[in-house]
Amino acid sequence: MSVSAWPLSRLDPLEPAAWPRHAFPGRLIVVDGVDGSGRATQLDLLETWLRVDGYGVVRTVWNSSKLVAKTITEARRQQTLTPLTYSILHATDVAERQEAEILPALRAGYVVLADRYVFTAFARDIARGVGRDWLYNLYGFALRPDLAIYLRIGAEASMARVMGVAGEASAHEADENAAVRGAIGSFRQFQERVIEEYDKLVDPFDLLPLDATMPIRTQQLRMRLWVKTLLEASGGDDE
Amino acid sequence: MSDAAVMDHASRANSLTEPLRRPGTLVVIEGGDRSGRSTQIQLLARWFERQDIAFILTDWSTSPHISKAIHKAKSEGALRPITYSLFYATDFADRVANVIVPALERGEVVLADRYIYTAFARDAARGANPTWLQALYGFAPEPDVVFYLRVPPAVTLSREPSLPTKALDQYEFGLDLGLSSDPARSFKLYQQEVFDEFERLSSEYAFVVMDGEQNVDTIHRSLRDVVKDMI
């Protein structure tokens, strides 16, 4: 049979810590964390630094595959999907991007920078009530990252940043409107649950937590140190 | 992974979708392409109508949002095997939540034109790990009966004279698998793979096997007899 078997990575729900590593020449570096944790800012800086250093870099962003992203956006607007359906749909996006973007780049020796990865799905979906084992199995096809940085921030701080960026009512202003306050309150509760779930992923998946409230430059320097260690450990002989 | 672990996944996923009480009856009809499945579904549906039995029909890949996206992707000829597999699982999950489970809760008969076994067979032919698939579809309500219209590939082939004309057809011909660049040969190889997988599933899940080469009416009567006893 000419078809290559999948899942190729075999993330075993019963033993997530034993998730095997890939053998491709490239490196998969993940920056994960809730909205407002500063992922994009840090990834921009990291990407520029890597490019200046001569590395070929490919960026891949959560929910961005041509085939799936539009369906997700549409479904979210109509709010008809259950958490389980939503979960599989997001996995479809990850699978499609893995096949179309991540794998070809890793085979060709690129550094792949992923803005969010399976940990986003784990934290969010479990917070929505999807079973952990079922979810880990679902993502059994996903490659284990070589480095996964978790930008850690509290619910309050992340929400303040998101609302500030969006130029919408600040949490303080929203206090004047009971309905908005209610929505913000339940969103905060959800966000807290998501962050709780992220924290639970640190140990089994070797996430490197980074305090996202530190100055941008401080975070970036720490990240560069981790990335440099990884890249120099793996095939630095032709540099 | 042990069977017990797979069951554990299923029950955990089920807690999201599966009701505690399930007064309805889930009747599944499986069978390869051109096995006469649609005909039997229609006959059974007409019989339910005549008997005044409340039922709903659910066909493979018909959820409003997802099926459209699948159709579009397929017509562009762009579906990779794993994307194909997960897309269909999404469609199925949507129908379980919005169509199948509500009808079962209302106590109706759900007549399913294909079910998870179609996904198992097609995805296995595309290289999917069976344990992974089983756990993925662990949220599916268990059918009360699965009829399998068994038609050997040699017969199916004689019922399939035309070659793929649209990009959409290439999946039915298994052309996305690269088994052969010759469509006729690819179709043969692919249908054989799917058939072999159904044979395996048939004993694993205790399908009620119907000889699909029998007369349409004979098959219909046998199906009816089994269903009658269930409702």
Side-chain angles (χ1 to χ4, degrees):
Chain A
M1 197 87 231
S2 60
V3 182
S4 65
W6 92 81
L8 16 99
S9 76
R10 292 310 294 136
L11 164 56
D12 186 339
L14 300 181
E15 240 184 314
W19 195 1
R21 300 197 173 276
H22 69 80
F24 301 109
R27 288 292 169 258
L28 175 58
I29 297 172
V30 169
V31 176
D32 219 314
V34 295
D35 282 332
S37 59
R39 288 185 324 270
T41 310
Q42 292 297 340
L43 278 163
D44 285 348
L45 292 168
L46 203 57
E47 180 176 357
T48 310
W49 175 70
L50 284 167
R51 285 192 191 282
V52 169
D53 231 30
Y55 287 99
V57 181
V58 170
R59 272 278 275 272
T60 180
V61 186
W62 189 252
N63 187 20
S64 69
S65 74
K66 222 180 91 203
L67 284 180
V68 191
K70 246 188 266 167
T71 312
I72 295 182
T73 313
E74 175 76 6
R76 188 188 296 148
R77 222 184 39 224
Q78 310 216 6
Q79 299 193 323
T80 57
L81 299 191
T82 65
L84 194 81
T85 311
Y86 205 58
S87 179
I88 310 176
L89 195 53
H90 269 293
T92 314
D93 173 72
V94 174
E96 175 65 15
R97 283 187 297 114
Q98 177 164 303
E99 296 287 316
E101 300 168 23
I102 300 173
L103 275 171
L106 290 179
R107 283 198 186 100
Y110 282 81
V111 176
V112 178
L113 294 180
D115 184 346
R116 293 182 175 270
Y117 197 57
V118 298
F119 313 109
T120 287
F122 294 168
R124 280 187 187 169
D125 293 349
I126 291 169
R128 288 191 183 111
V130 176
R132 184 182 300 274
D133 288 356
W134 181 83
L135 192 60
Y136 286 180
N137 175 78
L138 170 63
Y139 280 96
F141 63 85
L143 293 170
R144 178 177 187 154
D146 298 288
L147 187 70
I149 297 165
Y150 162 40
L151 296 181
R152 198 177 184 290
I153 187 167
E156 199 76 37
S158 71
M159 286 169 68
R161 280 194 197 175
V162 170
M163 287 190 239
V165 169
E168 286 169 17
S170 74
H172 175 71
E173 282 164 339
D175 256 1
E176 290 165 15
N177 182 321
V180 174
R181 194 172 59 222
I184 288 180
S186 70
F187 181 69
R188 181 186 299 126
Q189 278 181 357
F190 175 68
Q191 199 74 340
E192 276 163 3
R193 274 212 307 280
V194 171
I195 292 167
E196 237 171 74
E197 290 303 331
Y198 263 115
D199 289 344
K200 287 186 201 160
L201 302 173
V202 169
D203 271 350
F205 294 107
D206 287 331
L207 304 188
L208 296 170
L210 193 57
D211 180 355
T213 60
M214 293 193 298
I216 291 176
R217 198 179 143 71
T218 313
Q219 296 178 53
Q220 181 64 204
L221 289 176
R222 183 81 52 87
M223 284 172 68
R224 286 181 187 178
L225 197 67
W226 287 333
V227 170
K228 203 173 167 184
T229 309
L230 170 76
L231 296 179
E232 280 174 359
S234 50
D237 46 13
D238 55 358
E239 293 296 318
Chain B
M1 214 170 359
S2 68
D3 284 346
V6 171
M7 288 312 292
D8 190 34
H9 296 168
S11 62
R12 281 181 210 204
N14 275 349
S15 65
L16 269 176
T17 47
E18 183 140 46
L20 293 173
R21 283 176 55 253
R22 204 188 91 174
T25 310
L26 177 53
V27 177
V28 171
I29 304 197
E30 286 279 9
D33 295 323
R34 285 152 189 82
S35 60
R37 209 183 50 240
S38 316
T39 311
Q40 292 301 332
I41 295 266
Q42 276 171 22
L43 290 172
L44 213 49
R46 246 179 264 155
W47 180 72
F48 285 143
E49 276 164 12
R50 283 201 307 272
Q51 302 293 311
D52 233 357
I53 295 167
F55 76 102
I56 59 133
L57 223 158
T58 180
D59 197 351
W60 194 246
S61 180
T62 49
S63 76
H65 300 297
I66 318 300
S67 65
K68 245 188 283 165
I70 295 179
H71 193 85
K72 186 166 178 292
K74 281 175 93 170
S75 64
E76 288 168 1
L79 269 184
R80 293 174 175 80
I82 189 159
T83 319
Y84 176 102
S85 173
L86 287 169
F87 240 148
Y88 276 102
T90 315
D91 177 87
F92 180 74
D94 192 49
R95 286 188 296 120
V96 165
N98 294 322
V99 179
I100 297 174
V101 166
L104 291 175
E105 281 177 330
R106 291 194 301 267
E108 295 177 4
V109 175
V110 173
L111 186 52
D113 184 348
R114 285 165 291 181
Y115 206 61
I116 56 175
Y117 316 102
T118 282
F120 289 175
R122 290 180 180 178
D123 292 349
R126 286 180 167 76
N129 176 312
T131 312
W132 178 75
L133 275 173
Q134 268 187 0
L136 167 63
Y137 280 98
F139 61 86
E142 200 186 325
D144 294 282
V145 62
V146 181
F147 293 109
Y148 170 44
L149 297 178
R150 187 176 180 280
V151 181
V155 180
T156 321
L157 282 168
S158 68
R159 291 181 187 175
E160 171 52 56
S162 62
L163 289 176
T165 51
K166 303 184 295 277
L168 256 175
D169 296 337
Q170 65 164 323
Y171 299 91
E172 201 181 317
F173 279 74
L175 283 167
D176 58 318
L177 301 182
L179 299 166
S180 168
S181 55
D182 170 27
R185 174 145 182 78
S186 172
F187 184 75
K188 207 170 152 185
L189 289 169
Y190 175 59
Q191 294 295 338
Q192 185 67 50
E193 290 263 2
V194 172
F195 179 78
D196 291 347
E197 194 54 28
F198 262 117
E199 294 287 282
R200 207 185 57 72
L201 292 167
S202 172
S203 52
E204 188 177 346
Y205 292 96
F207 292 169
V208 177
V209 181
M210 299 276 162
D211 177 358
E213 291 179 82
Q214 284 176 305
N215 169 288
V216 171
D217 231 44
T218 313
I219 301 175
H220 173 59
R221 276 169 206 289
S222 318
L223 291 179
R224 226 161 68 177
D225 286 343
V226 178
V227 173
K228 219 185 283 179
D229 290 341
M230 259 172 193
I231 302 169

